[in-house]
Amino acid sequence: LATESADDLLYPVLFNYRHSIELYLKAIVGPARRNHDLAGLISQFQDVVRAQFGVEVPAWILARLHEFHDVDGRSTTFRYPESGVVFQSGKLQGEVWVDFRRLRLVMDRLEAAFVRVLGELTKKP
């Protein structure tokens, strides 16, 4: 951020964060089909956490995951910004402010949660 314009970094940063979420969810749920559908992965993630640990996924985690789904549910918005599919869900419209420092903190917390779940799942017989 000190040497680059935030405008130049926005799509690459969001694409990579969105992609990492998808990969963590896939590592946890082991989906039957290969696709980029975050909604399905989020639902499966909730099922795995409920079944394996007997708890619900914390609301703050679900809120962050659904924000990425609302903006880029099928991994096209940040990958192909020129295609005109930005905010196709209709849930987010107009100009959006992204605080990179806050986003980084949130993503660090999400990663820690995913790593913890993966670690616990690998301990299970």
Side-chain angles (χ1 to χ4, degrees):
L1 288 175
T3 61
E4 297 290 329
S5 166
D7 293 342
D8 294 335
L9 296 174
L10 180 63
Y11 276 60
V13 167
L14 292 176
F15 172 79
N16 282 300
Y17 276 147
R18 190 252 182 247
H19 190 59
S20 70
I21 288 170
E22 179 182 334
L23 293 177
Y24 273 118
L25 290 173
K26 285 179 175 180
I28 291 167
V29 306
R33 293 183 316 137
R34 292 181 61 182
N35 62 50
H36 300 291
D37 178 30
L38 277 185
L41 291 170
I42 293 166
S43 178
Q44 291 172 49
F45 174 61
Q46 289 179 274
D47 293 344
V48 167
V49 169
R50 194 178 297 117
Q52 294 295 317
F53 307 110
V55 297
E56 296 298 320
V57 175
W60 75 267
I61 291 176
L62 291 177
R64 299 302 74 79
L65 296 178
H66 283 291
E67 284 174 348
F68 272 91
H69 167 70
D70 290 346
V71 175
D72 193 9
R74 300 201 181 278
S75 190
T76 54
T77 300
F78 306 127
R79 189 185 320 193
Y80 310 113
E82 67 282 351
S83 67
V85 297
V86 176
F87 308 129
Q88 66 182 352
S89 71
K91 293 182 181 181
L92 296 174
Q93 296 181 359
E95 197 168 329
V96 176
W97 173 260
V98 177
D99 180 337
F100 279 111
R101 288 175 179 87
R102 172 99 172 110
L103 177 62
R104 179 178 163 191
L105 293 173
V106 168
M107 291 305 298
D108 286 347
R109 288 183 66 200
L110 268 179
E111 179 193 20
F114 287 144
V115 167
R116 184 173 174 200
V117 169
L118 281 168
E120 291 298 320
L121 287 174
T122 58
K123 288 182 189 176
K124 296 218 177 250

PDB file of all heavy atoms in Angstrom, residues 87-120:
ATOM      1  N   PHE A  87     -20.952  -7.648  -8.922  1.00  0.00           N
ATOM      2  CA  PHE A  87     -22.147  -7.509  -8.091  1.00  0.00           C
ATOM      3  C   PHE A  87     -23.395  -8.072  -8.762  1.00  0.00           C
ATOM      4  O   PHE A  87     -24.469  -7.524  -8.655  1.00  0.00           O
ATOM      5  CB  PHE A  87     -22.372  -6.049  -7.684  1.00  0.00           C
ATOM      6  CG  PHE A  87     -21.180  -5.410  -7.058  1.00  0.00           C
ATOM      7  CD1 PHE A  87     -20.701  -4.204  -7.498  1.00  0.00           C
ATOM      8  CD2 PHE A  87     -20.500  -6.034  -6.026  1.00  0.00           C
ATOM      9  CE1 PHE A  87     -19.595  -3.611  -6.926  1.00  0.00           C
ATOM     10  CE2 PHE A  87     -19.389  -5.449  -5.443  1.00  0.00           C
ATOM     11  CZ  PHE A  87     -18.937  -4.247  -5.894  1.00  0.00           C
ATOM     12  N   GLN A  88     -23.251  -9.195  -9.443  1.00  0.00           N
ATOM     13  CA  GLN A  88     -24.388  -9.777 -10.148  1.00  0.00           C
ATOM     14  C   GLN A  88     -25.490 -10.247  -9.203  1.00  0.00           C
ATOM     15  O   GLN A  88     -26.631 -10.381  -9.607  1.00  0.00           O
ATOM     16  CB  GLN A  88     -23.948 -10.912 -11.052  1.00  0.00           C
ATOM     17  CG  GLN A  88     -23.412 -12.127 -10.318  1.00  0.00           C
ATOM     18  CD  GLN A  88     -22.944 -13.193 -11.282  1.00  0.00           C
ATOM     19  OE1 GLN A  88     -23.150 -13.088 -12.471  1.00  0.00           O
ATOM     20  NE2 GLN A  88     -22.327 -14.225 -10.764  1.00  0.00           N
ATOM     21  N   SER A  89     -25.173 -10.478  -7.941  1.00  0.00           N
ATOM     22  CA  SER A  89     -26.200 -10.941  -7.012  1.00  0.00           C
ATOM     23  C   SER A  89     -27.213  -9.854  -6.703  1.00  0.00           C
ATOM     24  O   SER A  89     -28.303 -10.136  -6.255  1.00  0.00           O
ATOM     25  CB  SER A  89     -25.564 -11.408  -5.700  1.00  0.00           C
ATOM     26  OG  SER A  89     -25.077 -10.297  -4.973  1.00  0.00           O
ATOM     27  N   GLY A  90     -26.829  -8.596  -6.914  1.00  0.00           N
ATOM     28  CA  GLY A  90     -27.731  -7.499  -6.619  1.00  0.00           C
ATOM     29  C   GLY A  90     -27.735  -7.094  -5.157  1.00  0.00           C
ATOM     30  O   GLY A  90     -28.382  -6.141  -4.776  1.00  0.00           O
ATOM     31  N   LYS A  91     -27.015  -7.826  -4.314  1.00  0.00           N
ATOM     32  CA  LYS A  91     -26.996  -7.506  -2.887  1.00  0.00           C
ATOM     33  C   LYS A  91     -26.107  -6.311  -2.588  1.00  0.00           C
ATOM     34  O   LYS A  91     -26.317  -5.605  -1.623  1.00  0.00           O
ATOM     35  CB  LYS A  91     -26.559  -8.714  -2.077  1.00  0.00           C
ATOM     36  CG  LYS A  91     -27.569  -9.838  -2.133  1.00  0.00           C
ATOM     37  CD  LYS A  91     -27.141 -10.994  -1.284  1.00  0.00           C
ATOM     38  CE  LYS A  91     -28.165 -12.109  -1.382  1.00  0.00           C
ATOM     39  NZ  LYS A  91     -27.801 -13.243  -0.559  1.00  0.00           N
ATOM     40  N   LEU A  92     -25.084  -6.142  -3.387  1.00  0.00           N
ATOM     41  CA  LEU A  92     -24.188  -5.005  -3.221  1.00  0.00           C
ATOM     42  C   LEU A  92     -24.213  -4.194  -4.500  1.00  0.00           C
ATOM     43  O   LEU A  92     -23.914  -4.716  -5.565  1.00  0.00           O
ATOM     44  CB  LEU A  92     -22.764  -5.475  -2.925  1.00  0.00           C
ATOM     45  CG  LEU A  92     -22.556  -6.239  -1.633  1.00  0.00           C
ATOM     46  CD1 LEU A  92     -21.136  -6.767  -1.556  1.00  0.00           C
ATOM     47  CD2 LEU A  92     -22.859  -5.375  -0.428  1.00  0.00           C
ATOM     48  N   GLN A  93     -24.559  -2.940  -4.391  1.00  0.00           N
ATOM     49  CA  GLN A  93     -24.621  -2.109  -5.578  1.00  0.00           C
ATOM     50  C   GLN A  93     -23.938  -0.782  -5.291  1.00  0.00           C
ATOM     51  O   GLN A  93     -23.874  -0.338  -4.158  1.00  0.00           O
ATOM     52  CB  GLN A  93     -26.064  -1.881  -6.001  1.00  0.00           C
ATOM     53  CG  GLN A  93     -26.751  -3.161  -6.410  1.00  0.00           C
ATOM     54  CD  GLN A  93     -28.172  -2.923  -6.857  1.00  0.00           C
ATOM     55  OE1 GLN A  93     -28.653  -1.812  -6.853  1.00  0.00           O
ATOM     56  NE2 GLN A  93     -28.836  -3.983  -7.266  1.00  0.00           N
ATOM     57  N   GLY A  94     -23.472  -0.166  -6.335  1.00  0.00           N
ATOM     58  CA  GLY A  94     -22.837   1.132  -6.189  1.00  0.00           C
ATOM     59  C   GLY A  94     -21.387   1.008  -5.770  1.00  0.00           C
ATOM     60  O   GLY A  94     -20.755  -0.031  -5.893  1.00  0.00           O
ATOM     61  N   GLU A  95     -20.889   2.085  -5.258  1.00  0.00           N
ATOM     62  CA  GLU A  95     -19.489   2.148  -4.858  1.00  0.00           C
ATOM     63  C   GLU A  95     -19.286   1.471  -3.512  1.00  0.00           C
ATOM     64  O   GLU A  95     -20.098   1.594  -2.611  1.00  0.00           O
ATOM     65  CB  GLU A  95     -19.068   3.618  -4.764  1.00  0.00           C
ATOM     66  CG  GLU A  95     -17.589   3.813  -4.767  1.00  0.00           C
ATOM     67  CD  GLU A  95     -17.219   5.278  -4.963  1.00  0.00           C
ATOM     68  OE1 GLU A  95     -17.962   5.994  -5.636  1.00  0.00           O
ATOM     69  OE2 GLU A  95     -16.186   5.675  -4.423  1.00  0.00           O
ATOM     70  N   VAL A  96     -18.193   0.730  -3.392  1.00  0.00           N
ATOM     71  CA  VAL A  96     -17.883   0.002  -2.171  1.00  0.00           C
ATOM     72  C   VAL A  96     -16.496   0.409  -1.705  1.00  0.00           C
ATOM     73  O   VAL A  96     -15.558   0.467  -2.495  1.00  0.00           O
ATOM     74  CB  VAL A  96     -17.930  -1.524  -2.411  1.00  0.00           C
ATOM     75  CG1 VAL A  96     -17.524  -2.282  -1.165  1.00  0.00           C
ATOM     76  CG2 VAL A  96     -19.315  -1.944  -2.876  1.00  0.00           C
ATOM     77  N   TRP A  97     -16.366   0.686  -0.432  1.00  0.00           N
ATOM     78  CA  TRP A  97     -15.079   1.039   0.166  1.00  0.00           C
ATOM     79  C   TRP A  97     -14.447  -0.216   0.739  1.00  0.00           C
ATOM     80  O   TRP A  97     -15.091  -0.969   1.466  1.00  0.00           O
ATOM     81  CB  TRP A  97     -15.270   2.074   1.272  1.00  0.00           C
ATOM     82  CG  TRP A  97     -14.011   2.348   2.029  1.00  0.00           C
ATOM     83  CD1 TRP A  97     -13.657   1.841   3.243  1.00  0.00           C
ATOM     84  CD2 TRP A  97     -12.926   3.175   1.618  1.00  0.00           C
ATOM     85  NE1 TRP A  97     -12.415   2.301   3.610  1.00  0.00           N
ATOM     86  CE2 TRP A  97     -11.945   3.130   2.623  1.00  0.00           C
ATOM     87  CE3 TRP A  97     -12.685   3.949   0.490  1.00  0.00           C
ATOM     88  CZ2 TRP A  97     -10.753   3.832   2.544  1.00  0.00           C
ATOM     89  CZ3 TRP A  97     -11.493   4.640   0.426  1.00  0.00           C
ATOM     90  CH2 TRP A  97     -10.551   4.586   1.435  1.00  0.00           C
ATOM     91  N   VAL A  98     -13.179  -0.466   0.418  1.00  0.00           N
ATOM     92  CA  VAL A  98     -12.453  -1.604   0.965  1.00  0.00           C
ATOM     93  C   VAL A  98     -11.287  -1.068   1.781  1.00  0.00           C
ATOM     94  O   VAL A  98     -10.404  -0.405   1.255  1.00  0.00           O
ATOM     95  CB  VAL A  98     -11.929  -2.541  -0.153  1.00  0.00           C
ATOM     96  CG1 VAL A  98     -11.109  -3.672   0.448  1.00  0.00           C
ATOM     97  CG2 VAL A  98     -13.080  -3.074  -0.985  1.00  0.00           C
ATOM     98  N   ASP A  99     -11.312  -1.356   3.063  1.00  0.00           N
ATOM     99  CA  ASP A  99     -10.223  -0.987   3.962  1.00  0.00           C
ATOM    100  C   ASP A  99      -9.246  -2.164   3.976  1.00  0.00           C
ATOM    101  O   ASP A  99      -9.505  -3.188   4.607  1.00  0.00           O
ATOM    102  CB  ASP A  99     -10.787  -0.723   5.356  1.00  0.00           C
ATOM    103  CG  ASP A  99      -9.734  -0.326   6.368  1.00  0.00           C
ATOM    104  OD1 ASP A  99      -8.537  -0.640   6.175  1.00  0.00           O
ATOM    105  OD2 ASP A  99     -10.107   0.296   7.380  1.00  0.00           O
ATOM    106  N   PHE A 100      -8.138  -2.021   3.252  1.00  0.00           N
ATOM    107  CA  PHE A 100      -7.194  -3.130   3.102  1.00  0.00           C
ATOM    108  C   PHE A 100      -6.635  -3.609   4.437  1.00  0.00           C
ATOM    109  O   PHE A 100      -6.436  -4.802   4.638  1.00  0.00           O
ATOM    110  CB  PHE A 100      -6.026  -2.736   2.189  1.00  0.00           C
ATOM    111  CG  PHE A 100      -6.346  -2.838   0.729  1.00  0.00           C
ATOM    112  CD1 PHE A 100      -6.459  -1.696  -0.042  1.00  0.00           C
ATOM    113  CD2 PHE A 100      -6.522  -4.060   0.117  1.00  0.00           C
ATOM    114  CE1 PHE A 100      -6.744  -1.779  -1.392  1.00  0.00           C
ATOM    115  CE2 PHE A 100      -6.812  -4.161  -1.233  1.00  0.00           C
ATOM    116  CZ  PHE A 100      -6.926  -3.010  -1.992  1.00  0.00           C
ATOM    117  N   ARG A 101      -6.363  -2.709   5.334  1.00  0.00           N
ATOM    118  CA  ARG A 101      -5.793  -3.121   6.614  1.00  0.00           C
ATOM    119  C   ARG A 101      -6.803  -3.938   7.424  1.00  0.00           C
ATOM    120  O   ARG A 101      -6.463  -4.956   8.007  1.00  0.00           O
ATOM    121  CB  ARG A 101      -5.294  -1.906   7.378  1.00  0.00           C
ATOM    122  CG  ARG A 101      -4.039  -1.330   6.752  1.00  0.00           C
ATOM    123  CD  ARG A 101      -3.575  -0.045   7.423  1.00  0.00           C
ATOM    124  NE  ARG A 101      -2.365   0.446   6.794  1.00  0.00           N
ATOM    125  CZ  ARG A 101      -2.325   1.240   5.726  1.00  0.00           C
ATOM    126  NH1 ARG A 101      -3.447   1.634   5.156  1.00  0.00           N
ATOM    127  NH2 ARG A 101      -1.178   1.637   5.217  1.00  0.00           N
ATOM    128  N   ARG A 102      -8.041  -3.505   7.432  1.00  0.00           N
ATOM    129  CA  ARG A 102      -9.106  -4.257   8.129  1.00  0.00           C
ATOM    130  C   ARG A 102      -9.339  -5.595   7.434  1.00  0.00           C
ATOM    131  O   ARG A 102      -9.511  -6.618   8.086  1.00  0.00           O
ATOM    132  CB  ARG A 102     -10.388  -3.426   8.156  1.00  0.00           C
ATOM    133  CG  ARG A 102     -11.590  -4.157   8.682  1.00  0.00           C
ATOM    134  CD  ARG A 102     -11.841  -3.821  10.122  1.00  0.00           C
ATOM    135  NE  ARG A 102     -13.094  -4.395  10.546  1.00  0.00           N
ATOM    136  CZ  ARG A 102     -13.176  -5.415  11.389  1.00  0.00           C
ATOM    137  NH1 ARG A 102     -12.094  -5.924  11.901  1.00  0.00           N
ATOM    138  NH2 ARG A 102     -14.330  -5.905  11.733  1.00  0.00           N
ATOM    139  N   LEU A 103      -9.360  -5.585   6.105  1.00  0.00           N
ATOM    140  CA  LEU A 103      -9.553  -6.819   5.349  1.00  0.00           C
ATOM    141  C   LEU A 103      -8.464  -7.829   5.700  1.00  0.00           C
ATOM    142  O   LEU A 103      -8.741  -9.018   5.891  1.00  0.00           O
ATOM    143  CB  LEU A 103      -9.556  -6.530   3.845  1.00  0.00           C
ATOM    144  CG  LEU A 103      -9.684  -7.734   2.922  1.00  0.00           C
ATOM    145  CD1 LEU A 103     -10.996  -8.475   3.139  1.00  0.00           C
ATOM    146  CD2 LEU A 103      -9.544  -7.290   1.473  1.00  0.00           C
ATOM    147  N   ARG A 104      -7.246  -7.365   5.798  1.00  0.00           N
ATOM    148  CA  ARG A 104      -6.138  -8.260   6.143  1.00  0.00           C
ATOM    149  C   ARG A 104      -6.335  -8.875   7.524  1.00  0.00           C
ATOM    150  O   ARG A 104      -6.129 -10.085   7.712  1.00  0.00           O
ATOM    151  CB  ARG A 104      -4.819  -7.496   6.101  1.00  0.00           C
ATOM    152  CG  ARG A 104      -3.627  -8.335   6.463  1.00  0.00           C
ATOM    153  CD  ARG A 104      -2.367  -7.540   6.351  1.00  0.00           C
ATOM    154  NE  ARG A 104      -1.297  -8.208   7.059  1.00  0.00           N
ATOM    155  CZ  ARG A 104      -0.140  -7.664   7.310  1.00  0.00           C
ATOM    156  NH1 ARG A 104       0.124  -6.439   6.913  1.00  0.00           N
ATOM    157  NH2 ARG A 104       0.781  -8.325   7.950  1.00  0.00           N
ATOM    158  N   LEU A 105      -6.765  -8.081   8.492  1.00  0.00           N
ATOM    159  CA  LEU A 105      -7.012  -8.603   9.835  1.00  0.00           C
ATOM    160  C   LEU A 105      -8.122  -9.654   9.826  1.00  0.00           C
ATOM    161  O   LEU A 105      -8.006 -10.710  10.451  1.00  0.00           O
ATOM    162  CB  LEU A 105      -7.379  -7.472  10.795  1.00  0.00           C
ATOM    163  CG  LEU A 105      -6.279  -6.472  11.116  1.00  0.00           C
ATOM    164  CD1 LEU A 105      -6.846  -5.311  11.932  1.00  0.00           C
ATOM    165  CD2 LEU A 105      -5.147  -7.152  11.870  1.00  0.00           C
ATOM    166  N   VAL A 106      -9.194  -9.365   9.109  1.00  0.00           N
ATOM    167  CA  VAL A 106     -10.310 -10.308   9.018  1.00  0.00           C
ATOM    168  C   VAL A 106      -9.859 -11.594   8.343  1.00  0.00           C
ATOM    169  O   VAL A 106     -10.176 -12.697   8.802  1.00  0.00           O
ATOM    170  CB  VAL A 106     -11.499  -9.677   8.266  1.00  0.00           C
ATOM    171  CG1 VAL A 106     -12.549 -10.711   7.907  1.00  0.00           C
ATOM    172  CG2 VAL A 106     -12.112  -8.554   9.097  1.00  0.00           C
ATOM    173  N   MET A 107      -9.114 -11.474   7.256  1.00  0.00           N
ATOM    174  CA  MET A 107      -8.655 -12.660   6.544  1.00  0.00           C
ATOM    175  C   MET A 107      -7.671 -13.476   7.392  1.00  0.00           C
ATOM    176  O   MET A 107      -7.671 -14.702   7.326  1.00  0.00           O
ATOM    177  CB  MET A 107      -8.060 -12.281   5.193  1.00  0.00           C
ATOM    178  CG  MET A 107      -9.085 -11.768   4.203  1.00  0.00           C
ATOM    179  SD  MET A 107     -10.485 -12.880   3.918  1.00  0.00           S
ATOM    180  CE  MET A 107      -9.648 -14.312   3.254  1.00  0.00           C
ATOM    181  N   ASP A 108      -6.847 -12.799   8.178  1.00  0.00           N
ATOM    182  CA  ASP A 108      -5.953 -13.522   9.088  1.00  0.00           C
ATOM    183  C   ASP A 108      -6.763 -14.339  10.097  1.00  0.00           C
ATOM    184  O   ASP A 108      -6.425 -15.488  10.401  1.00  0.00           O
ATOM    185  CB  ASP A 108      -5.024 -12.559   9.825  1.00  0.00           C
ATOM    186  CG  ASP A 108      -3.917 -12.002   8.948  1.00  0.00           C
ATOM    187  OD1 ASP A 108      -3.697 -12.516   7.829  1.00  0.00           O
ATOM    188  OD2 ASP A 108      -3.266 -11.031   9.387  1.00  0.00           O
ATOM    189  N   ARG A 109      -7.844 -13.758  10.608  1.00  0.00           N
ATOM    190  CA  ARG A 109      -8.701 -14.473  11.559  1.00  0.00           C
ATOM    191  C   ARG A 109      -9.419 -15.639  10.887  1.00  0.00           C
ATOM    192  O   ARG A 109      -9.558 -16.712  11.473  1.00  0.00           O
ATOM    193  CB  ARG A 109      -9.716 -13.522  12.190  1.00  0.00           C
ATOM    194  CG  ARG A 109      -9.085 -12.542  13.183  1.00  0.00           C
ATOM    195  CD  ARG A 109     -10.110 -11.663  13.847  1.00  0.00           C
ATOM    196  NE  ARG A 109     -10.986 -12.457  14.700  1.00  0.00           N
ATOM    197  CZ  ARG A 109     -12.183 -12.055  15.108  1.00  0.00           C
ATOM    198  NH1 ARG A 109     -12.656 -10.888  14.748  1.00  0.00           N
ATOM    199  NH2 ARG A 109     -12.913 -12.826  15.886  1.00  0.00           N
ATOM    200  N   LEU A 110      -9.885 -15.421   9.665  1.00  0.00           N
ATOM    201  CA  LEU A 110     -10.533 -16.511   8.926  1.00  0.00           C
ATOM    202  C   LEU A 110      -9.562 -17.653   8.678  1.00  0.00           C
ATOM    203  O   LEU A 110      -9.901 -18.827   8.860  1.00  0.00           O
ATOM    204  CB  LEU A 110     -11.066 -15.998   7.583  1.00  0.00           C
ATOM    205  CG  LEU A 110     -12.487 -15.494   7.531  1.00  0.00           C
ATOM    206  CD1 LEU A 110     -12.812 -14.999   6.127  1.00  0.00           C
ATOM    207  CD2 LEU A 110     -13.479 -16.532   7.978  1.00  0.00           C
ATOM    208  N   GLU A 111      -8.354 -17.306   8.256  1.00  0.00           N
ATOM    209  CA  GLU A 111      -7.351 -18.335   8.009  1.00  0.00           C
ATOM    210  C   GLU A 111      -7.070 -19.134   9.275  1.00  0.00           C
ATOM    211  O   GLU A 111      -6.997 -20.369   9.244  1.00  0.00           O
ATOM    212  CB  GLU A 111      -6.053 -17.730   7.491  1.00  0.00           C
ATOM    213  CG  GLU A 111      -4.993 -18.788   7.266  1.00  0.00           C
ATOM    214  CD  GLU A 111      -3.604 -18.239   7.053  1.00  0.00           C
ATOM    215  OE1 GLU A 111      -3.330 -17.091   7.431  1.00  0.00           O
ATOM    216  OE2 GLU A 111      -2.779 -18.986   6.503  1.00  0.00           O
ATOM    217  N   ALA A 112      -6.935 -18.452  10.399  1.00  0.00           N
ATOM    218  CA  ALA A 112      -6.681 -19.146  11.665  1.00  0.00           C
ATOM    219  C   ALA A 112      -7.825 -20.103  11.996  1.00  0.00           C
ATOM    220  O   ALA A 112      -7.593 -21.226  12.460  1.00  0.00           O
ATOM    221  CB  ALA A 112      -6.487 -18.124  12.790  1.00  0.00           C
ATOM    222  N   ALA A 113      -9.055 -19.686  11.744  1.00  0.00           N
ATOM    223  CA  ALA A 113     -10.207 -20.552  11.997  1.00  0.00           C
ATOM    224  C   ALA A 113     -10.183 -21.768  11.076  1.00  0.00           C
ATOM    225  O   ALA A 113     -10.403 -22.906  11.523  1.00  0.00           O
ATOM    226  CB  ALA A 113     -11.507 -19.765  11.821  1.00  0.00           C
ATOM    227  N   PHE A 114      -9.899 -21.548   9.795  1.00  0.00           N
ATOM    228  CA  PHE A 114      -9.831 -22.666   8.848  1.00  0.00           C
ATOM    229  C   PHE A 114      -8.723 -23.640   9.228  1.00  0.00           C
ATOM    230  O   PHE A 114      -8.916 -24.862   9.204  1.00  0.00           O
ATOM    231  CB  PHE A 114      -9.593 -22.161   7.426  1.00  0.00           C
ATOM    232  CG  PHE A 114     -10.776 -21.499   6.783  1.00  0.00           C
ATOM    233  CD1 PHE A 114     -10.587 -20.416   5.946  1.00  0.00           C
ATOM    234  CD2 PHE A 114     -12.069 -21.947   6.977  1.00  0.00           C
ATOM    235  CE1 PHE A 114     -11.659 -19.797   5.318  1.00  0.00           C
ATOM    236  CE2 PHE A 114     -13.153 -21.343   6.361  1.00  0.00           C
ATOM    237  CZ  PHE A 114     -12.943 -20.264   5.529  1.00  0.00           C
ATOM    238  N   VAL A 115      -7.562 -23.122   9.587  1.00  0.00           N
ATOM    239  CA  VAL A 115      -6.429 -23.973   9.961  1.00  0.00           C
ATOM    240  C   VAL A 115      -6.772 -24.789  11.208  1.00  0.00           C
ATOM    241  O   VAL A 115      -6.455 -25.983  11.300  1.00  0.00           O
ATOM    242  CB  VAL A 115      -5.151 -23.128  10.172  1.00  0.00           C
ATOM    243  CG1 VAL A 115      -4.055 -23.912  10.855  1.00  0.00           C
ATOM    244  CG2 VAL A 115      -4.671 -22.574   8.835  1.00  0.00           C
ATOM    245  N   ARG A 116      -7.462 -24.165  12.142  1.00  0.00           N
ATOM    246  CA  ARG A 116      -7.866 -24.878  13.363  1.00  0.00           C
ATOM    247  C   ARG A 116      -8.827 -26.017  13.031  1.00  0.00           C
ATOM    248  O   ARG A 116      -8.678 -27.128  13.535  1.00  0.00           O
ATOM    249  CB  ARG A 116      -8.505 -23.907  14.345  1.00  0.00           C
ATOM    250  CG  ARG A 116      -8.866 -24.536  15.649  1.00  0.00           C
ATOM    251  CD  ARG A 116      -9.336 -23.517  16.649  1.00  0.00           C
ATOM    252  NE  ARG A 116      -9.805 -24.182  17.840  1.00  0.00           N
ATOM    253  CZ  ARG A 116     -10.591 -23.650  18.723  1.00  0.00           C
ATOM    254  NH1 ARG A 116     -11.010 -22.403  18.570  1.00  0.00           N
ATOM    255  NH2 ARG A 116     -10.984 -24.315  19.785  1.00  0.00           N
ATOM    256  N   VAL A 117      -9.812 -25.743  12.189  1.00  0.00           N
ATOM    257  CA  VAL A 117     -10.765 -26.785  11.796  1.00  0.00           C
ATOM    258  C   VAL A 117     -10.028 -27.918  11.080  1.00  0.00           C
ATOM    259  O   VAL A 117     -10.240 -29.099  11.387  1.00  0.00           O
ATOM    260  CB  VAL A 117     -11.898 -26.214  10.911  1.00  0.00           C
ATOM    261  CG1 VAL A 117     -12.726 -27.327  10.283  1.00  0.00           C
ATOM    262  CG2 VAL A 117     -12.786 -25.277  11.719  1.00  0.00           C
ATOM    263  N   LEU A 118      -9.174 -27.568  10.124  1.00  0.00           N
ATOM    264  CA  LEU A 118      -8.414 -28.604   9.407  1.00  0.00           C
ATOM    265  C   LEU A 118      -7.556 -29.430  10.361  1.00  0.00           C
ATOM    266  O   LEU A 118      -7.472 -30.654  10.232  1.00  0.00           O
ATOM    267  CB  LEU A 118      -7.537 -27.972   8.333  1.00  0.00           C
ATOM    268  CG  LEU A 118      -8.243 -27.579   7.054  1.00  0.00           C
ATOM    269  CD1 LEU A 118      -7.332 -26.700   6.184  1.00  0.00           C
ATOM    270  CD2 LEU A 118      -8.682 -28.812   6.278  1.00  0.00           C
ATOM    271  N   GLY A 119      -6.920 -28.755  11.307  1.00  0.00           N
ATOM    272  CA  GLY A 119      -6.090 -29.464  12.285  1.00  0.00           C
ATOM    273  C   GLY A 119      -6.905 -30.436  13.127  1.00  0.00           C
ATOM    274  O   GLY A 119      -6.473 -31.571  13.363  1.00  0.00           O
ATOM    275  N   GLU A 120      -8.057 -30.008  13.558  1.00  0.00           N
ATOM    276  CA  GLU A 120      -8.923 -30.884  14.357  1.00  0.00           C
ATOM    277  C   GLU A 120      -9.463 -32.046  13.526  1.00  0.00           C
ATOM    278  O   GLU A 120      -9.582 -33.156  14.023  1.00  0.00           O
ATOM    279  CB  GLU A 120     -10.072 -30.085  14.980  1.00  0.00           C
ATOM    280  CG  GLU A 120      -9.625 -29.116  16.056  1.00  0.00           C
ATOM    281  CD  GLU A 120      -8.983 -29.815  17.248  1.00  0.00           C
ATOM    282  OE1 GLU A 120      -9.468 -30.895  17.667  1.00  0.00           O
ATOM    283  OE2 GLU A 120      -7.988 -29.291  17.763  1.00  0.00           O
TER     284      GLU A 120
END
